Amino acid sequence: MRQTSDAAPDDFLGGSLRLLQPPRGSHRAGTDAVLLSRLIEPRAGDVICDVGAGTGAVGLAAGIRAPGSRVILVERAPDLAALARRNAEANAMANRVSVVEADVLGPGAERRAATLVSGSADIVLTNPPFFETGRHRPSPDAGKAAAHAFPPGGLEAWIRTCTDLLRAGGRLGLIHRADALPLCLDALRNRFGGVAIRPVHARADRPAIRILVSATKGSRAALELRPSLVLQGADGAFTAEADALHRGRPWPP
């Protein structure tokens, strides 16, 4: 089992979120979590579900932007779920945050027994594992290895669970490797429409490293390819947009 951290919380999104995380060297929230948390604008009263939540960075960050929202953090690892509960309390959100310990890839009956209700979420945000077991070199850190990989066909099953949790017309947001775009589109097919894809580049002259994908359950709207997000300028510093996102500031300003 991973050790939970008793260190001081990290400042996340410019200090608007205080986040307890596992020790350095373990799987920790970073730029991917920032980008995913800002992908879909929540509304007051929305139910936001963070699937594969870890310590809750994405769901809590999204919930802060909509004070009247409710947040469900779904995490299978008990130690990370415990940190997610502490993070909800530390950010004065415990009264509107539920932490559910459940396996995203487990049977539907098990999820329902864990109090996850089909069709209950207005927004699902998810950063699924990026690799299939046996197709990459796993991290020596057990936490990173578990967060980064799942069995063959896992992405399809993961998206199926996300679909089940969303109400009709609900919105899905996910982040993945850029080269996983075909797999993502296959998993969304016949479930979602209005798919919008935004490539993410470390620098403008380099290939995309991530894709941000949003979609609407049951929609028949056409696919959109949106302008790229570039994280760094030639000097290695954040671009104005990336800096604003990391600081939790509105963009455009």
Side-chain angles (χ1 to χ4, degrees):
M1 177 179 289
R2 294 178 292 273
Q3 293 182 341
T4 55
S5 174
D6 290 320
D10 294 330
D11 283 336
F12 203 69
L13 297 180
S16 62
L17 182 66
R18 300 285 284 164
L19 197 65
L20 289 165
Q21 301 208 65
R24 295 194 181 278
S26 303
H27 183 68
R28 294 163 61 88
T31 291
D32 285 359
V34 169
L35 300 183
L36 179 58
S37 73
R38 300 291 299 273
L39 180 56
I40 295 177
E41 192 64 32
R43 300 175 288 245
D46 275 349
V47 176
I48 304 165
C49 187
D50 181 357
V51 173
T55 59
V58 171
L60 296 175
I64 282 176
R65 301 209 317 280
S69 61
R70 291 193 297 115
V71 179
I72 302 169
L73 305 176
V74 183
E75 174 54 48
R76 70 176 181 179
D79 51 338
L80 295 180
L83 280 177
R85 293 187 184 95
R86 292 174 63 186
N87 285 330
E89 293 169 359
N91 289 280
M93 296 176 69
N95 64 330
R96 59 189 182 96
V97 173
S98 301
V99 180
V100 179
E101 293 183 34
D103 185 352
V104 178
L105 301 181
E110 290 183 7
R111 295 196 302 273
R112 289 187 287 274
T115 72
L116 287 176
V117 179
S118 297
S120 60
D122 299 286
I123 297 171
V124 167
L125 299 172
T126 190
N127 182 354
F130 279 0
F131 303 100
E132 288 189 355
T133 303
R135 295 193 176 186
H136 78 299
R137 178 179 294 179
S139 168
D141 178 83
K144 281 187 175 180
H148 291 171
F150 49 20
L155 181 60
E156 164 74 20
W158 190 281
I159 296 299
R160 186 164 59 245
T161 293
C162 293
T163 307
D164 178 66
L165 295 174
L166 275 171
R167 65 168 177 79
R171 295 171 292 168
L172 172 72
L174 70 88
I175 187 168
H176 214 300
R177 304 185 332 267
D179 64 335
L181 178 57
L183 292 174
C184 292
L185 293 177
D186 283 346
L188 296 175
R189 187 172 290 114
N190 299 323
R191 296 183 173 116
F192 293 88
V195 177
I197 302 161
R198 189 175 194 196
V200 180
H201 302 251
R203 298 195 183 188
D205 60 349
R206 297 181 183 175
I209 54 173
R210 296 285 186 269
I211 47 168
L212 290 163
V213 182
S214 59
T216 301
K217 182 177 177 178
S219 171
R220 295 187 177 182
L223 181 146
E224 296 180 1
L225 184 60
R226 294 185 173 170
S228 295
L229 167 60
V230 178
L231 297 177
Q232 297 175 339
D235 60 358
F238 277 142
T239 61
E241 181 176 6
D243 185 65
L245 293 174
H246 279 82
R247 294 178 184 274
R249 294 174 178 170
W251 186 266

